[in-house]
Amino acid sequence: MGSLLLLLLLLLLSPSYPRGGSAWRRRSARTQGPGGPSRAPPETSAPFWVRISPEFKAVPPGGSVWLNCSSSCPLPEGSSLRTELRRGDTLSGHGWVSYQLLDVRAWSSDVHCFVTCAGETRGATARITAYKQPRSVILEPPVLMGSEYTLRCHVTHVFPVGFLVVILRRGGRVIYSESLERFTGRDLANVTLTYALRARPSDFGQPVTCYARLDLDGLVVLSSSAPMTLPVLAWSPASKALASTSIAALVGILLVVGALCLRKYLSMKSQA
């Protein structure tokens, strides 16, 4: 009996005997990969949106505008703005950033807002336009020079001039139009259009109107003058002088003819 107990004691003390701790270590080893302990797969980041407001804004040339960039990301890693316009102040809060843009003079500019969330970057785009509807469109009264009417139209304080078209209409028909796309200035401008219209009998009494049209890639801004009527008699100073001379000559001829007739009559009466 004593020898049996001694044999069991030796077996328990043997390094090759499978103990509970070694069994746990073997199980733990089976859960490890070749690169070390396995980790739980990372959570997939939920989709997030990015918005910019307003998406379209028109300002007068030289004006400023605020754009607000917001997102649904709970913990944004960063936000940025890409634009060629001059930047001003920046304000921020939870989930949003507002940017100020100063001295807007380009007639059309795209502004891009970007937000990075969980390593992913998304963006939104806004368009800023700068234009100024004409302060006034004035058509001067037509002046008759010989056989042509001179029509003069003034378009004041308009921008951008390069997108302006000036149109003259007689009744419902276009008689002349001119595009000013050759002008590329970035300031408010005044434009004067002069056109010579050959006078015809059918033109007398017809209304003439001057139109100023800004065609900004789909945004059309139209202004017009008050209509002016082509008068039946529109005398220029030269025409008045010519008419006076003609009348005086006619009166002189009539007087001479009358005097001759009277003299002949008196001569015939004296002979009788």
Side-chain angles (χ1 to χ4, degrees):
M1 183 68 178
S3 59
L4 180 60
L5 291 175
L6 180 60
L7 180 59
L8 290 175
L9 181 61
L10 290 175
L11 289 173
L12 291 174
L13 295 177
S14 174
S16 62
Y17 185 81
R19 295 177 177 84
S22 298
W24 179 85
R25 283 193 295 271
R26 286 192 295 270
R27 288 193 299 269
S28 176
R30 286 194 297 268
T31 63
Q32 298 180 10
S38 62
R39 296 185 179 92
E43 295 182 1
T44 304
S45 59
F48 70 100
W49 49 257
V50 176
R51 294 173 183 166
I52 190 168
S53 178
E55 294 182 349
F56 178 85
K57 181 68 175 179
V59 299
S64 62
V65 62
W66 282 90
L67 294 180
N68 184 72
C69 182
S70 59
S71 74
S72 61
C73 179
L75 295 173
E77 299 171 13
S79 63
S80 61
L81 194 74
R82 189 176 69 197
T83 178
E84 295 180 355
L85 299 175
R86 186 157 69 90
R87 298 266 296 271
D89 296 332
T90 301
L91 302 176
S92 62
H94 181 67
W96 60 270
V97 181
S98 288
Y99 302 93
Q100 186 185 30
L101 303 177
L102 303 173
D103 194 26
V104 181
R105 293 191 179 276
W107 89 266
S108 180
S109 300
D110 287 337
V111 181
H112 308 277
C113 166
F114 297 98
V115 175
T116 301
C117 182
E120 182 181 358
T121 300
R122 296 187 178 185
T125 302
R127 173 161 291 186
I128 308 301
T129 66
Y131 76 91
K132 175 66 171 61
Q133 184 173 359
R135 177 183 296 175
S136 61
V137 180
I138 302 171
L139 180 63
E140 293 184 4
V143 176
L144 181 61
M145 301 292 292
S147 60
E148 292 182 338
Y149 281 106
T150 298
L151 304 176
R152 186 170 286 111
C153 179
H154 304 279
V155 182
T156 65
H157 288 76
V158 60
F159 177 84
V161 180
F163 291 82
L164 178 68
V165 179
V166 181
I167 304 168
L168 291 173
R169 284 181 175 268
R170 179 184 54 209
R173 178 172 168 237
V174 175
I175 57 177
Y176 183 74
S177 67
E178 183 172 342
S179 173
L180 303 176
E181 58 186 4
R182 62 186 180 276
F183 294 97
T184 58
R186 292 194 171 189
D187 296 315
L188 290 171
N190 298 323
V191 176
T192 298
L193 172 70
T194 302
Y195 178 70
L197 173 66
R198 181 170 295 277
R200 299 179 304 177
S202 60
D203 294 332
F204 297 147
Q206 290 287 328
V208 177
T209 308
C210 180
Y211 293 88
R213 187 183 72 196
L214 282 172
D215 193 351
L216 306 172
D217 284 353
L219 174 64
V220 178
V221 180
L222 189 65
S223 305
S224 66
S225 70
M228 301 296 296
T229 302
L230 294 174
V232 176
L233 293 175
W235 296 92
S236 65
S239 299
K240 290 181 179 179
L242 180 61
S244 299
T245 303
S246 300
I247 292 173
L250 178 61
V251 170
I253 293 173
L254 293 176
L255 289 176
V256 171
V257 172
L260 292 175
C261 291
L262 179 61
R263 183 176 178 181
K264 185 176 182 180
Y265 172 76
L266 294 177
S267 176
M268 292 175 60
K269 187 175 181 181
S270 63
Q271 292 178 1

Coordinates of all heavy atoms in Angstrom, one line a residue, residues 31 35 60 75 111 231:
T31 N -6.5 29.5 -29.6 CA -7.3 30.7 -30.0 C -6.4 31.8 -30.5 O -6.9 32.9 -30.9 CB -8.1 31.3 -28.8 OG1 -7.1 31.7 -27.8 CG2 -9.0 30.2 -28.2
G35 N -0.1 35.6 -35.8 CA 0.4 36.9 -35.4 C 0.1 37.4 -34.0 O 0.3 38.5 -33.7
P60 N -24.2 91.0 -54.9 CA -23.7 92.1 -55.7 C -22.2 92.1 -55.8 O -21.6 91.6 -54.8 CB -24.3 93.4 -55.0 CG -24.5 92.9 -53.6 CD -24.9 91.5 -53.7
L75 N -18.2 62.3 -34.6 CA -16.9 62.7 -34.2 C -16.0 63.0 -35.4 O -15.2 62.3 -35.9 CB -16.2 61.7 -33.3 CG -16.8 61.4 -32.0 CD1 -16.1 60.2 -31.3 CD2 -16.7 62.6 -31.1
V111 N -17.6 76.5 -54.7 CA -17.0 76.4 -53.4 C -17.2 75.0 -52.9 O -18.4 74.5 -52.8 CB -17.6 77.4 -52.4 CG1 -16.9 77.3 -51.0 CG2 -17.4 78.8 -52.9
P231 N -41.7 109.5 -84.5 CA -42.7 110.5 -84.9 C -42.8 110.6 -86.4 O -41.9 110.2 -87.2 CB -42.2 111.8 -84.3 CG -40.7 111.6 -84.2 CD -40.5 110.1 -83.9

